[in-house]
Amino acid sequence: VLDNAKAKGLPLGLYQLMRARVFSAKQDPAAEETELRGAIYRDPTLTEAYLRLAEIMENRGLWLDAADLYRRAIKCDPKTPGAYLQLARILSSQERDRSALEILEDARKVAPEAPQVLAALAAYREERDDDPAAAAEEGRETPLGGAESVIC
């Protein structure tokens, strides 16, 4: 089927993306990665290729590579909330909380009604509201105003 699609003039980037899906189904990440890289090379607008390749990099523990690929996916299609969420998760795991929060806020701007974005942002804030040091680092106040609050 794929070779027939290629013969009928399917763009090579899409063809390689389709081949990558086949290798993913066959659980062959090395071949999938090769096809994804080829797809991106031939068509740098294929958001799906960036997202899937980022997942592969994450599975290998290559966090910086994965973060870069998520950023490229966002650049390619700014209305892809999943890319923002994954990038924020990576940044948060690297204790880059301010950057993670900025990414989540960006996601909310481009997808204000996306429930997964709203849930992630709420969970992120709730998790950090209990930590005055994290709130101070982010330049925001804790629910009680932080350590400088005076209770009369």
Side-chain angles (χ1 to χ4, degrees):
V1 173
L2 288 177
D3 289 333
N4 190 20
K6 182 179 176 185
K8 289 185 178 183
L10 183 70
L12 287 177
L14 285 175
Y15 173 75
Q16 286 195 278
L17 180 58
M18 291 173 67
R19 283 179 52 90
R21 291 177 188 159
V22 170
F23 287 120
S24 176
K26 291 182 177 183
Q27 297 182 348
D28 186 347
E32 181 184 8
E33 179 183 349
T34 298
E35 294 299 328
L36 290 169
R37 289 187 184 282
I40 290 168
Y41 175 77
R42 286 181 169 77
D43 185 352
T45 66
L46 294 173
T47 306
E48 181 184 338
Y50 290 111
L51 294 172
R52 184 60 195 129
L53 189 55
E55 288 177 33
I56 292 170
M57 295 300 108
E58 276 191 83
N59 290 338
R60 290 187 186 156
L62 301 172
W63 309 114
L64 294 176
D65 292 339
D68 179 57
L69 288 160
Y70 286 125
R71 283 186 184 96
R72 291 170 68 185
I74 291 167
K75 221 176 198 183
C76 196
D77 182 4
K79 295 190 182 220
T80 305
Y84 292 92
L85 295 173
Q86 295 298 87
L87 177 57
R89 185 181 49 73
I90 289 172
L91 293 171
S92 182
S93 73
Q94 295 175 340
E95 298 183 10
R96 295 179 56 199
D97 290 340
R98 177 172 282 160
S99 296
L101 181 60
E102 288 171 4
I103 293 296
L104 290 173
E105 289 290 350
D106 289 346
R108 188 178 54 81
K109 289 174 191 169
V110 299
E113 302 300 320
Q116 69 271 35
V117 171
L118 297 174
L121 194 52
Y124 185 89
R125 286 190 170 141
E126 181 179 315
E127 182 180 305
R128 278 141 189 91
D129 276 345
D130 296 336
D131 183 358
E137 178 185 319
E138 293 175 7
R140 59 182 173 82
E141 296 199 13
T142 60
L144 299 176
E148 290 122 355
S149 292
V150 177
I151 299 176
C152 297

